[in-house]
Amino acid sequence: MQLAHAPLALLLLAAAAAPAAAVEVAVDARGRSAMRREEADASAQLFAGRLEDAQRGVAAGARAPTFQPKLRTCDAAKARVSFMKHHKARNESTAAQQYDAMLALAEVKRVFAELDLPIVLLSGVLLGWSRSCLAMPGDAGSDVGIFGPWLEEVGLDTIREAFSRQGHEFSASFCQDGPMRSGCEMRVQLPGLSRKEHGEGTPSVDIFVLFSPPPLGIGQFPGFFDQCHQETCGQNCERCNLATALWSGQEREQGRFFACPLPLRSFELASWMKETFWVPQNEDQYLKDEYGPNWRELQPTATHEACKSYTSRDISLSPYQSYIPGLPNAKAVMAAQRELERNEAARIAHSATEELQLWRLALPEVMSKDSTAAPWEEQRAPPIFPWQPGFKSWWRDRLQQYLRIRI
């Protein structure tokens, strides 16, 4: 009997165990299903993230700087009106500083052009050209802009050597981490161009490296600046995708700076001193954002207006990696500039003739009475005496060149 009922007992045991096994299978199936859903969700999130990055990249590319080879010339009639309105505020010292600032700017442009590096007129020097075809009175310095990738390709040491060969001093103290980091600013001092018999101060040109907003994350495209003038830049600062840096006070000691977001995107060429310089296409809007609504006055009371969205809230930044998608190659931009200079040579020469008349009208104290050549065309003699500015660096570079040739 026991043997006869054994198979039945086994069947009863198997039947009792079946529901538990079924439950385990169901649980296992639900677990695998849940895992598959989680994997699908993760894949979807990853795809959405990549799609968002791609869309952001397209949007960033749409914000890329553009350089249009169109020529603007000085408005001589407007410049004469400006001179007659403000001529009483001028004196021999301010005239000398204007003279020095313009020749320094032309010299810096020449050295950069030899390295295939375009520059953009900014701030006071652009204000002066726009209003009177002259540098701002009482200012021996000029401000220009450039892009970090262009400098990185050439190398700061190469640039320093190029200026040193001409007896000038190139400093990049605010570019300790290189020109690809935000906040980079350089200066060129040109002691050999100074006319100290008329005024004091060594001519200089400040070179601001234009940088992008901070990236949204590691390896991601730039976002937008979180502080700006909404009237100019838009509610989300979307129209101000480039900025310059303001190093000031305690923040400078801490290695931090204030960002100055600017409505810069498209650039055109301006004729000045028989040279061409890139200028913002929306010149009036840019100057209003820099100097306030009264920027057309002789000395605007407001300066660094674009920085106040950060300075007024005491929000400073540490240098970060700047990335400007779609930035054209420097050599291509320089080639377009040279082609325009060839094609528009007659207009550029005519504009320079009118400018020379303005120089003689506005700067009689410093203009040479014996020379008929324009100041920007006069050849500068090398410093031959030890007490002349630039003597040491000029002759040191000549000796190095001679030794290289001999070796």
Side-chain angles (χ1 to χ4, degrees), residues 45-311:
Q45 290 175 2
L46 180 61
F47 175 77
R50 290 176 177 172
L51 179 61
E52 183 181 355
D53 279 347
Q55 291 171 340
R56 190 177 296 119
V58 172
R63 294 183 273 152
T66 61
F67 296 81
Q68 306 291 333
K70 298 178 182 178
L71 184 66
R72 303 184 194 180
T73 57
C74 167
D75 189 335
K78 183 175 71 173
R80 288 190 178 88
V81 171
S82 176
F83 170 76
M84 296 306 297
K85 181 179 179 181
H86 302 299
H87 74 281
K88 292 183 179 179
R90 300 174 185 273
N91 55 50
E92 187 173 353
S93 178
T94 61
Q97 288 174 332
Q98 285 179 281
Y99 185 95
D100 287 349
M102 290 184 287
L103 293 191
L105 176 65
E107 174 74 355
V108 167
K109 190 265 181 177
R110 184 184 65 79
V111 175
F112 270 118
E114 289 177 355
L115 299 172
D116 284 325
L117 289 171
I119 57 175
V120 179
L121 300 187
L122 297 175
S123 304
V125 68
L126 176 62
L127 178 62
W129 177 84
S130 175
R131 203 167 53 186
S132 63
C133 308
L134 300 168
M136 289 287 289
D139 189 358
S142 301
D143 295 341
V144 300
I146 198 167
F147 291 91
W150 296 352
L151 297 171
E152 182 77 4
E153 184 176 359
V154 173
L156 295 185
D157 289 339
T158 300
I159 297 171
R160 183 179 290 105
E161 291 174 4
F163 280 107
S164 180
R165 284 195 293 270
Q166 305 302 320
H168 310 317
E169 300 169 10
F170 176 84
S171 170
S173 57
F174 291 117
C175 286
Q176 296 295 329
D177 298 323
M180 297 297 288
R181 305 281 287 182
S182 62
C184 180
E185 180 182 338
M186 300 159 290
R187 170 172 287 191
V188 179
Q189 290 187 302
L190 305 98
L193 296 184
S194 178
R195 297 173 61 88
K196 291 187 176 180
E197 67 271 21
H198 294 293
E200 296 184 0
T202 300
S204 63
V205 176
D206 289 329
I207 304 163
F208 293 91
V209 179
L210 298 165
F211 57 88
S212 70
L216 296 177
I218 298 175
Q220 292 186 339
F221 286 97
F224 297 104
F225 290 105
D226 56 5
Q227 308 290 331
C228 63
H229 285 171
Q230 292 187 355
E231 179 183 351
T232 299
C233 300
Q235 185 174 1
N236 298 313
C237 305
E238 67 274 7
R239 292 197 295 272
C240 293
N241 302 308
L242 295 172
T244 58
L246 175 63
W247 294 86
S248 176
Q250 184 178 359
E251 283 72 22
R252 175 186 297 186
E253 298 174 1
Q254 297 173 350
R256 299 175 66 86
F257 63 90
F258 295 106
C260 309
L262 296 165
L264 294 174
R265 179 186 170 191
S266 299
F267 302 92
E268 294 180 347
L269 285 165
S271 174
W272 197 10
M273 297 177 288
K274 214 171 183 179
E275 297 277 359
T276 61
F277 301 85
W278 292 99
V279 298
Q281 188 180 50
N282 57 338
E283 174 189 323
D284 288 3
Q285 182 61 59
Y286 163 78
L287 290 172
K288 179 182 177 182
D289 197 47
E290 274 277 55
Y291 293 100
N294 298 323
W295 65 269
R296 290 184 174 85
E297 297 299 321
L298 176 62
Q299 290 289 359
T301 55
T303 57
H304 301 302
E305 285 292 295
C307 310
K308 289 183 178 177
S309 54
Y310 279 88
T311 58

Side-chain angles (χ1 to χ4, degrees), residues 68-73 269-272 274-276 335-352 355:
Q68 306 291 333
K70 298 178 182 178
L71 184 66
R72 303 184 194 180
T73 57
L269 285 165
S271 174
W272 197 10
K274 214 171 183 179
E275 297 277 359
T276 61
Q337 184 171 353
R338 291 190 177 109
E339 183 179 4
L340 178 135
E341 289 174 347
R342 289 192 297 269
N343 296 337
E344 298 282 4
R347 284 184 65 196
I348 293 171
H350 178 73
S351 180
E355 289 170 31

Side-chain angles (χ1 to χ4, degrees), residues 351-371:
S351 180
T353 300
E354 292 188 328
E355 289 170 31
L356 181 57
Q357 294 174 359
L358 286 170
W359 282 49
R360 296 192 183 284
L361 172 67
L363 310 172
E365 302 90 347
V366 293
M367 291 292 290
S368 174
K369 297 179 175 59
D370 301 326
S371 175

